[in-house]
Amino acid sequence: MPEGFSVNIYMILILLAAFIIFGVMWLRNFIHRRVEELTAERLALALKVKEKAHRIQAQYDTDSIVYTHQGPKKKSRKYQKVTVLFADIQGFTRIVEQLNPEMLIDELDQFFLHFDEIVEKYGIEKIKTIGDAYMCAGGLPVKNSTNPVEVVLAAIEMQQFMDEMRRIKMIEHKDYWELRIGIHTGPVISGMVGRKKISFDIWGDTVNIASRMESSGMAGEINISGTTWQLVKEFFVAEYRGKMPIKYKGETDMYFIKGIIPELSVNGEGKEPNELFRIRLQHIRFGDMEEAVLNRLENELSDDLAYHNMKHTVDVVTQVEIIGRGEGVSEEEMLLLKTAALFHDTGFLISYDNHEDNSIELAKEVLPMYGYLDDQIEEIVELINVTRKEAQPRNHLEAILKDADLDYLGRSDFLPVSGNLYEEFQKFNGKMTLPEWNKKQISFITNHKYYTNTAKNLRQVKKEQQLSALKDFMKGGQ
């Protein structure tokens, strides 16, 4: 063999050996990095689960603890409106025969981890997984009125994810998983169960009916009860399936959800909610927020606030809706107006002076909890600012709120309302005689003007009548 040829062979062998050594080192490093990544993912998930457990337990504060001869015991809690979802993997038995246990668990974990992300996105509570079944519920531990809509949205996303997984599996000529979902809305009992390993669970007919909705459904479909349908029919399209007997409850209607109403979906495709969908859902959230705010005003405002009390806030919220409809505002504009009206006097909960500043701070704190976006909050802040005494409206919405806030000037109950304002003024701003107050009111009403055509048509004539009546009252008192 020629000497040069053998040298080349040795060189090739050396290069090949170096390549193999480099490849092995690269593979080891890759596996090490991947293990670290998987460990980090699992740790993050574990921390998230632990944080959620602490959050749920925090809902069961010391007021929910009763004491027995065996020590402290958590009380159960009843919720009147909770939407329960059961999801069950179809094809599980068939795929078990083809996958080894490790791969099976990994795939199932992949599905359930994605479901966890979906329910967290919509503020829904995961209750538990049982084998290849997944259970979650909306409307607890924090009560809300939007949970039927949010749970159906979550179900749609779950099915879309499963559809995408099926498409990939079919391309790879592999068996695929399918999902059967059942949903029902109603009252439940919730509580913490277990001694060493405490977990959150729910019970009641609502849970049983949701389970029946799932078992009576079909793979790839979302089967909901007639009760849930009545709560979500303004947002979704459905196919009526008929009735199903429920033990001790008679029969219940069933519907397959077919998608979002085209008008409320992106590109009219019925798959993803659009901006109008979000606004209409916010109007429902507004009802929850309104109840919470009015309860605080009723229970916490000083009794010395004879005018700026809960009734005044209700009046202004009502009037912005009346004037807003008359002025033809959009659904989002109506939401902003009603929200600003609801919060414009909440600052009196903190102090009488500079209450508008306090109202703005409270609004900024509360509104993100109810899904308001940053630009919406900025507009609401500007609307609250226009309720300051000397502020002038700069746009149509500010004009509506300004007119609503001073609506009482043109109402038939003007004199008693003005008397309440005088009583409050005396409590917080020193002494002023009634004649001095009435002169001040006459000057204010004379210079005041309504800004919107709707308010002018509703209140201007009566405002002039109230001015005349106030002048006559002044003359009679002299």
Side-chain angles (χ1 to χ4, degrees), residues 34-201:
R34 185 57 184 152
V35 168
E36 286 184 339
E37 290 173 0
L38 289 173
T39 302
E41 289 175 5
R42 295 289 182 180
L43 179 59
L45 177 62
L47 290 173
K48 186 182 291 186
V49 170
K50 184 177 180 181
E51 180 184 344
K52 177 183 172 182
H54 285 316
R55 177 168 55 83
I56 291 174
Q57 279 191 274
Q59 295 291 329
Y60 288 79
D61 53 20
T62 53
D63 293 335
S64 298
I65 297 178
V66 294
Y67 288 86
T68 68
H69 65 282
Q70 296 175 328
K73 179 182 178 181
K74 292 286 183 180
K75 288 199 304 184
S76 60
R77 180 176 294 180
K78 186 168 185 178
Y79 295 84
Q80 292 298 332
K81 185 180 179 183
V82 169
T83 303
V84 180
L85 178 152
F86 275 94
D88 186 64
I89 300 289
Q90 302 297 292
F92 184 82
T93 304
R94 183 182 74 253
I95 296 174
V96 164
E97 297 171 353
Q98 301 177 15
L99 291 179
N100 65 53
E102 207 169 298
M103 290 181 65
L104 178 71
I105 296 302
D106 284 345
E107 285 210 13
L108 206 54
D109 272 352
Q110 180 186 8
F111 297 144
F112 288 166
L113 285 173
H114 192 78
F115 292 172
D116 287 349
E117 293 175 2
I118 292 172
V119 301
E120 184 177 355
K121 170 183 173 182
Y122 289 105
I124 300 165
E125 290 296 331
K126 175 183 176 181
I127 305 300
K128 57 189 171 184
T129 57
I130 310 166
D132 60 339
Y134 187 95
M135 178 186 176
C136 61
L140 50 75
V142 179
K143 299 176 182 179
N144 64 66
S145 299
T146 55
N147 65 82
V149 177
E150 289 157 344
V151 170
V152 173
L153 280 176
I156 289 174
E157 284 201 30
M158 288 177 181
Q159 289 290 19
Q160 289 173 350
F161 172 74
M162 297 302 289
D163 287 344
E164 178 61 20
M165 293 298 101
R166 179 178 62 181
R167 186 186 67 80
I168 294 171
K169 291 288 186 181
M170 289 178 71
I171 292 173
E172 297 173 347
H173 302 289
K174 295 180 180 179
D175 283 330
Y176 52 83
W177 311 70
E178 289 187 291
L179 195 64
R180 193 170 63 190
I181 295 178
I183 296 173
H184 178 63
T185 305
V188 302
I189 301 293
S190 72
M192 309 301 289
V193 296
R195 292 187 177 182
K196 293 183 178 179
K197 187 177 180 182
I198 298 175
S199 62
F200 182 69
D201 208 347

Side-chain angles (χ1 to χ4, degrees), residues 406-418:
L406 295 174
D407 174 75
Y408 81 98
L409 297 178
R411 293 204 317 248
S412 57
D413 62 345
F414 164 75
L415 284 178
V417 171
S418 177

Side-chain angles (χ1 to χ4, degrees), residues 312-327:
H312 171 68
T313 296
V314 172
D315 286 345
V316 178
V317 171
T318 302
Q319 287 306 313
V320 293
E321 188 162 10
I322 292 172
I323 299 173
R325 291 189 187 282
E327 294 294 302

